[in-house]
Amino acid sequence: MAAIETRRSMRAFLPTPVPRSLIEEILRVAARAPSGTNTQPWQVHVLSGAAKERLSARILAAHNDPAELSKHREEYAYYPVEWASPYIDRRRKVGWDLYGLLGLAKTDRAGMHAQHGRNYRFFDAPVGLMFTIDRVMQQGSWLDYGMFLQNIMIAARGHGLHTCPQAAFTQFHRLIAEELSLPPTQMLVCGMALGYADPNAIENTLQTERAAVAEFTRFLED
C-alpha cells in the first residue's frame, strides 16, 4: 500500500542514473499485469543518454516554433471534447495549484509554455519511456495497457524511484515515430519519465486531492 500511496507525478528529477538492470526488473514485474486472453498489448521504448536528448531537442524545437507547432495534433482524444463538472473543476485546480507553486500567474503565457515544454525533456529524468500499441488492438487492450502502466509506476516506487506519466507527448506522435523508427502498425500511447525525484524542487511538493470513497461508490446489498 505504501508504494501506491506515495506514487505521485514528479516534475523534477535528479541526474542520478538508473541502471538498465533495474529498468528491466521493473518492466518484468509490470508485465504481470492482466490482459484479455493474455494478449499483452504493450511495447516499451526506453530512452536515455544521447537518444533521449535527440528526441527532446526535436520535440522542443517544434513546441517553441508556432508555425511548426500548429502542424501537430494528437492522434487520439485523451480528454473530453466537451468538459463537465466535476472533471473540469479538478483539471483546473491541479493546473493552478502547480502554477501557483511555480509562481506563474494566469497571465504568464510564456511561463506556462516553458513549463509545459519541460514535459519534452522528461522533466530532466535520466530515463524516458515511450509506450506504443499495435493498431489492430481495440479499446479493451487500452484498459489492459493502463494496468501495465500503473504496475510500472508502483514497481518503480518499490525501488525508491518516481515517475511522471505523460500524455503530452501524443501531440508529437509523428516526430516520435520517426525518431524511434516505429513501423506504421504501431501507435503512440504516452510517454513516462523515470528516475529519482529532486527532493528540493518546489513542484514536487504538489499533492493532488482524491474524492472520498463515498463520492464514487455504491454498495448494493438488498
Side-chain angles (χ1 to χ4, degrees), residues 128-174:
L129 305 174
M130 287 292 170
F131 301 95
T132 61
I133 189 170
D134 196 303
R135 293 178 185 277
V136 302
M137 308 308 281
Q138 296 297 318
Q139 191 170 9
S141 293
W142 287 69
L143 295 175
D144 300 338
Y145 220 122
M147 291 183 274
F148 173 67
L149 294 172
Q150 176 75 353
N151 272 5
I152 292 174
M153 292 183 277
I154 298 307
R157 288 301 303 123
H159 290 282
L161 295 160
H162 272 287
T163 55
C164 185
Q166 297 167 274
F169 281 105
T170 61
Q171 180 177 7
F172 298 101
H173 62 92
R174 289 190 291 106

Side-chain angles (χ1 to χ4, degrees), residues 27-106:
L27 294 175
R28 183 191 69 79
V29 172
R32 297 306 306 174
S35 59
T37 62
N38 199 33
T39 48
Q40 303 175 63
W42 37 80
Q43 293 288 326
V44 187
H45 313 266
V46 182
L47 296 103
S48 61
K52 184 173 72 72
E53 292 304 316
R54 281 195 304 271
L55 178 64
S56 292
R58 188 169 180 190
I59 295 176
L60 278 168
H63 174 69
N64 292 325
D65 181 340
E68 181 64 22
L69 181 61
S70 67
K71 300 176 184 177
H72 296 274
R73 292 287 182 274
E74 294 83 357
E75 193 170 13
Y76 69 91
Y78 184 93
Y79 294 108
V81 176
E82 296 184 10
W83 286 90
S85 185
Y87 315 112
I88 185 61
D89 308 308
R90 293 169 181 166
R91 174 182 170 88
R92 286 171 176 161
K93 185 178 189 314
V94 72
W96 292 125
D97 284 353
L98 174 62
Y99 292 145
L101 285 172
L102 295 169
L104 296 174
K106 293 183 178 181

Side-chain angles (χ1 to χ4, degrees), residues 166-219:
Q166 297 167 274
F169 281 105
T170 61
Q171 180 177 7
F172 298 101
H173 62 92
R174 289 190 291 106
L175 296 183
I176 294 167
E178 291 175 7
E179 281 295 314
L180 302 186
S181 298
L182 297 180
T185 55
Q186 288 289 306
M187 179 179 181
L188 181 68
V189 174
C190 66
M192 184 184 292
L194 172 69
Y196 295 94
D198 183 348
N200 298 316
I202 187 66
E203 55 265 53
N204 285 345
T205 66
L206 178 66
Q207 289 274 11
T208 54
E209 298 175 355
R210 291 296 185 272
V213 172
E215 292 185 45
F216 59 82
T217 307
R218 296 174 63 209
F219 290 94

